[in-house]
C-alpha cells in the first residue's frame, strides 16, 4: 500500500469519526476508502469495525460526561447488541449485500422523508411517549434488529439507532445520539470479535486509523453537544442523502 493511500485512509477515518459522533454513518467514508485502496470487502468491513470501536467509545465518553444517557435502554440493548452483531457478522459471508442494498435504500428514503416532513421531531424531548412497552421495543429494535444489520452490512447503524430512539422513546436528537453510541459500541465489538477470530482484521492499519477516528469523534461529539438538536438534524439529513446516493451508485452503476 502506498503512502498516498495510507494518508487517504487516515483522513477518511478522521472524517468518519466526526460523522459517527454526530449522527452515525461513518462507514459511508471508511468502507469505500478501504475498498478503493484494494482491500477485499470482508477485510474492509472487519478493519472498519476495529477503527470504529475506538471512535465510538470516545464519542460515548464525551456524551456521557455532558448529557443524559438513557441507561434503561442503553445497557440492556448494548449487551444484546454484542451477540446480535456477532451473529450478523457470521452471516455476512452468506448474505449478499446486493439483496440488502435496495431494502436499506428504501428505509433511508423513508427516514429522510419522515425527518423532513416533521421538522419538530427530535428538537425537544417528549417524555410522555415513554412507556414500559416502548422501552422494551427500543431495546429489541436497537439491540437485536439494528445490531444484526450492523454485523451484516453496517453503514447507517448510528443513524437508524438515533431515529429509533427519537420516534419510539421521544428522546431529542442529542440524547438519542448519546444513547445510540453505547449500542454502537456493542455492535462494533460483537462484529469485531467474529471477524478477528476469522482472521479478517488488518490490525496495524485498523489501529492507525483508530487514532484518527478518535480525534474526529471527540470533535464531532463536542460540536453536537454545543450546537444542539438542530445541528444534529441537519447533519442527519445530509448523511442520509449521501448514504442513499452511495447505495444507489453501488446498486445501479
Amino acid at each position: 500500500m502506498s503512502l498516498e493511500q495510507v494518508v487517504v485512509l487516515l483522513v477518511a477515518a478522521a472524517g468518519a469519526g466526526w460523522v459517527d459522533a454526530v449522527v452515525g454513518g461513518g462507514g459511508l467514508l471508511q468502507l469505500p476508502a478501504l475498498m478503493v485502496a484494494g482491500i477485499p470487502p470482508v477485510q474492509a468491513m472487519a478493519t472498519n469495525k476495529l477503527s470504529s470501536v475506538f471512535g465510538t467509545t470516545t464519542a460515548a465518553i464525551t456524551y456521557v460526561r455532558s448529557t443524559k444517557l438513557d441507561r434503561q435502554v442503553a445497557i440492556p440493548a448494548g449487551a444484546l447488541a454484542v451477540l446480535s452483531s456477532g451473529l450478523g457478522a457470521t452471516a455476512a459471508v452468506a448474505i449478499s449485500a446486493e439483496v440488502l442494498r435496495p431494502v436499506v435504500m428504501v428505509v433511508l428514503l423513508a427516514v429522510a422523508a419522515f425527518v423532513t416532513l416533521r421538522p419538530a421531531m427530535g428538537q425537544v424531548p417528549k417524555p410522555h411517549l415513554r412507556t414500559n412497552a416502548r422501552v422494551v421495543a427500543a431495546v429489541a429494535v436497537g439491540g437485536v434488529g439494528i445490531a444484526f444489520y450492523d454485523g451484516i452490512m453496517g453503514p447507517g447503524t448510528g443513524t437508524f439507532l438515533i431515529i429509533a430512539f427519537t420516534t419510539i422513546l421521544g428522546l431529542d436528537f442529542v440524547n438519542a445520539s448519546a444513547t445510540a453510541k453505547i449500542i454502537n459500541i456493542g455492535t462494533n465489538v460483537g462484529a469485531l470479535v467474529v471477524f478477528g477470530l476469522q482472521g479478517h482484521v488488518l490490525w496495524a492499519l485498523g489501529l492507525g486509523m483508530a487514532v484518527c477516528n478518535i480525534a474526529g469523534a471527540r470533535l464531532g461529539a463536542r460540536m453536537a453537544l454545543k450546537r444542539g438538536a438542530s445541528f444534529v438534524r441537519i447533519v442527519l439529513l445530509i448523511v442520509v442523502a449521501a448514504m442513499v446516493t452511495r447505495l444507489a451508485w453501488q446498486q445501479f452503476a
Side-chain angles (χ1 to χ4, degrees):
M1 187 177 296
S2 68
L3 177 61
E4 289 80 7
Q5 287 176 314
V6 173
V7 171
V8 169
L9 290 175
L10 295 179
V11 172
W18 187 91
V19 172
D20 259 338
V22 177
V23 76
L28 178 72
L29 297 174
Q30 280 196 149
L31 276 175
L34 285 163
M35 287 189 282
V36 166
I39 297 171
V42 176
Q43 286 187 324
M45 289 176 63
T47 306
N48 174 60
K49 293 301 180 190
L50 174 59
S51 173
S52 296
V53 74
F54 285 94
T56 303
T57 302
T58 300
I61 293 171
T62 304
Y63 276 115
V64 168
R65 287 175 176 172
S66 304
T67 192
K68 182 180 178 182
L69 178 70
D70 194 325
R71 299 178 187 275
Q72 193 177 2
V73 173
I75 294 174
L80 283 171
V82 176
L83 176 61
S84 300
S85 181
L87 292 173
T90 303
V93 295
I95 299 178
S96 172
E98 302 295 329
V99 175
L100 291 175
R101 229 177 259 133
V103 177
V104 176
M105 279 193 291
V106 171
V107 173
L108 284 170
L109 287 170
V111 166
F114 192 67
V115 175
T116 301
L117 295 174
R118 298 186 62 182
M121 188 189 76
Q123 300 299 306
V124 294
K126 297 179 180 179
H128 65 278
L129 293 179
R130 187 187 186 90
T131 63
N132 290 334
R134 283 175 174 263
V135 169
V136 172
V139 170
V141 170
V144 179
I146 297 175
F148 186 81
Y149 160 76
D150 193 24
I152 290 181
M153 194 169 178
T157 296
T159 306
F160 291 141
L161 288 169
I162 290 171
I163 293 298
F165 297 151
T166 302
T167 54
I168 297 173
L169 298 175
L171 299 182
D172 64 68
F173 279 135
V174 174
N175 287 333
S177 185
T179 303
K181 294 298 168 286
I182 304 300
I183 291 88
N184 223 166
I185 292 172
T187 65
N188 286 330
V189 168
L192 179 61
V193 168
V194 172
F195 285 135
L197 291 174
Q198 293 175 343
H200 294 305
V201 182
L202 303 178
W203 294 97
L205 177 61
L207 290 172
M209 292 176 68
V211 174
C212 296
N213 203 276
I214 288 170
R218 290 188 64 183
L219 178 61
R222 289 176 178 176
M223 288 182 69
L225 288 166
K226 181 179 180 180
R227 301 192 178 189
S230 296
F231 171 71
V232 176
R233 179 178 180 273
I234 292 170
V235 176
L236 173 67
L237 288 171
I238 293 171
V239 169
V240 168
M243 281 192 288
V244 170
T245 302
R246 178 199 164 205
L247 290 170
W249 175 265
Q250 290 178 320
Q251 186 71 19
F252 304 116

